[in-house]
Amino acid sequence: MLPETDCRNFTAYNHRWSTPSKWSQGVQNHWYSYDYGLAHFISFTAETDYYNSPEKSFEYDIKGDETAPKENETYVTNSGPFGYINGSYKVNENYEQWQWLKADLAAVNRTKTPWVFVYAHRPMYSTEVSSYQANMRNAWEKMFLDYKVDAYLSG
């Protein structure tokens, strides 16, 4: 059995799964894409790396004149973000994952891969309404519609 801290900071996940990511150091297992046949598949993290995600960034907890903790002070509890935030953590467009996802969708060659499927762990819609679902829709829904994503899969 793994210590609880290994699960909170995705250590177990990162050491067990290898993914085809070519993005920033440290996020290889959290967002990536690939083509298979006539389809383009995109995997991203619905756990962190967008505003009000279930695993919020440390900046969310900073009050007044406090500063963000150093990496060596937070290693065992750090659940994200795994990419940078360029500006306010309250703006989805400032997250590296958001920027990567938009660039990836923009680069899809629909004549070669006419189908685009995006998947993540958490659902954006469900009969079991959770508070994070509205936050996910705020972060991703417009982009998926603008780029005509064919299906979003979760679970």
Side-chain angles (χ1 to χ4, degrees):
M1 185 164 158
L2 293 168
E4 184 182 333
T5 56
D6 285 346
C7 298
R8 280 198 307 241
N9 69 7
F10 296 91
T11 299
Y13 178 86
N14 289 334
H15 287 287
R16 284 174 176 74
W17 284 276
S18 177
T19 62
S21 174
K22 294 180 182 144
W23 200 244
S24 304
Q25 185 70 337
V27 298
Q28 300 104 327
N29 292 330
H30 298 280
W31 58 81
Y32 57 90
S33 67
Y34 59 93
D35 293 340
Y36 185 81
L38 295 174
H40 183 72
F41 293 90
I42 300 171
S43 175
F44 74 100
T45 178
E47 305 300 323
T48 183
D49 290 87
Y50 61 95
Y51 179 55
N52 275 333
S53 60
E55 297 290 335
K56 295 173 178 61
S57 72
F58 283 111
E59 291 162 333
Y60 180 83
D61 294 322
I62 295 173
K63 307 289 185 252
D65 61 352
E66 295 176 331
T67 58
K70 296 177 182 68
E71 185 175 341
N72 66 344
E73 297 171 331
T74 63
Y75 177 76
V76 297
T77 59
N78 189 0
S79 294
F82 292 98
Y84 65 80
I85 303 171
N86 188 12
S88 171
Y89 74 94
K90 295 180 180 180
V91 178
N92 284 311
E93 292 83 352
N94 291 344
Y95 286 78
E96 182 178 13
Q97 178 177 236
W98 193 95
Q99 294 170 11
W100 170 83
L101 186 53
K102 183 175 181 177
D104 191 81
L105 285 166
V108 173
N109 179 347
R110 290 292 186 126
T111 58
K112 179 183 170 194
T113 52
W115 298 97
V116 176
F117 301 102
V118 178
Y119 58 94
H121 174 69
R122 293 178 181 264
M124 277 196 271
Y125 304 95
S126 174
T127 56
E128 292 276 330
V129 178
S130 296
S131 61
Y132 70 82
Q133 291 173 357
N135 300 329
M136 284 189 67
R137 289 191 298 273
N138 288 337
W140 312 113
E141 184 179 54
K142 183 177 181 332
M143 184 188 308
F144 292 171
L145 292 171
D146 288 348
Y147 286 97
K148 298 178 175 39
V149 169
D150 293 291
Y152 173 73
L153 309 167
S154 63

